[in-house]
Amino acid sequence: MSDRSELLSTGEPFAFDAERDAEFERLIVRYPIRESMIMPALWMAQEQQGWISTEAIEYIAERIGTFPAKVFELATFYTMYQLKPAGQYHICVCRTLSCWLRDKQAIVDYLAEEIGIRPGQISEDGRFSLEEVECLGHCGTAPVVQVNGEFHEEMDLEKFKALLATLE
Ligand code: FES
């Protein structure tokens, strides 16, 4: 299991670029409770930076007017948020019951053998990163894999190899 309890720092201050700054201002007025903007803001930070750093958490908390701990809670709970730099292709493999029973491990093992990455790791060339995540909500079509947020369902090993080939 990859560790989602720690944040990494870039060592640089974070701020939304002009486009996202305008989007933040457009959206925040829609929410009677400003903290409801935490998740969209996290998503915007991830789009901009590729992942979510300590500095982004602090920036979002300040923009919204809440505690960094509240932003941290959401960022660490939802696996759609990247807490460290990801590969060009970030692969999430569901590890919950249906996917486990339908041999998600064959996919995880294949990635270890062929690409050299285990959950929580990024390949040496930076092309692939792997994370095992909890139920992705598509249990009826297990095992389920996401690549850069796109769902791929009923992924036996042969289908997964074919998918990988399209990414290379
Ligand atoms: S158990 Fe894998 S999608 Fe639900």
Side-chain angles (χ1 to χ4, degrees), residues 51-125:
W51 58 288
I52 295 168
S53 61
T54 305
E55 291 82 4
I57 297 266
E58 290 168 349
Y59 173 80
I60 290 167
E62 190 175 329
R63 283 291 296 264
I64 289 174
T66 189
F67 298 105
K70 291 204 170 183
V71 184
F72 174 85
E73 279 174 356
L74 289 168
T76 54
F77 180 79
Y78 290 103
T79 55
M80 65 188 180
Y81 297 124
Q82 282 293 120
L83 301 180
K84 56 185 173 183
Q88 178 185 357
Y89 298 108
H90 182 61
I91 301 167
C92 293
V93 178
C94 173
R95 62 179 190 158
T96 310
L97 186 62
S98 297
C99 293
W100 181 74
L101 287 172
R102 299 205 65 199
D103 203 16
K104 64 84 187 168
Q105 193 60 40
I107 294 169
V108 173
D109 290 344
Y110 181 76
L111 284 165
E113 288 158 18
E114 294 300 315
I115 311 285
I117 50 171
R118 296 198 173 277
Q121 295 181 337
I122 183 168
S123 61
E124 280 183 14
D125 62 5

Side-chain angles (χ1 to χ4, degrees), residues 20-50:
R20 290 179 180 85
D21 186 70
E23 180 70 355
F24 180 93
E25 292 302 326
R26 189 181 72 80
L27 292 175
I28 190 78
V29 296
R30 294 184 179 183
Y31 295 103
I33 299 170
R34 287 177 67 87
E35 286 173 349
S36 301
M37 185 67 196
I38 292 174
M39 291 184 71
L42 283 167
W43 195 252
M44 284 163 35
Q46 180 164 294
E47 277 181 345
Q48 179 174 318
Q49 190 173 244

Side-chain angles (χ1 to χ4, degrees), residues 43 46 80 89-92 136 145-152:
W43 195 252
Q46 180 164 294
M80 65 188 180
Y89 298 108
H90 182 61
I91 301 167
C92 293
L136 289 166
V145 170
Q146 278 183 321
V147 179
N148 292 350
E150 189 172 312
F151 278 87
H152 301 274

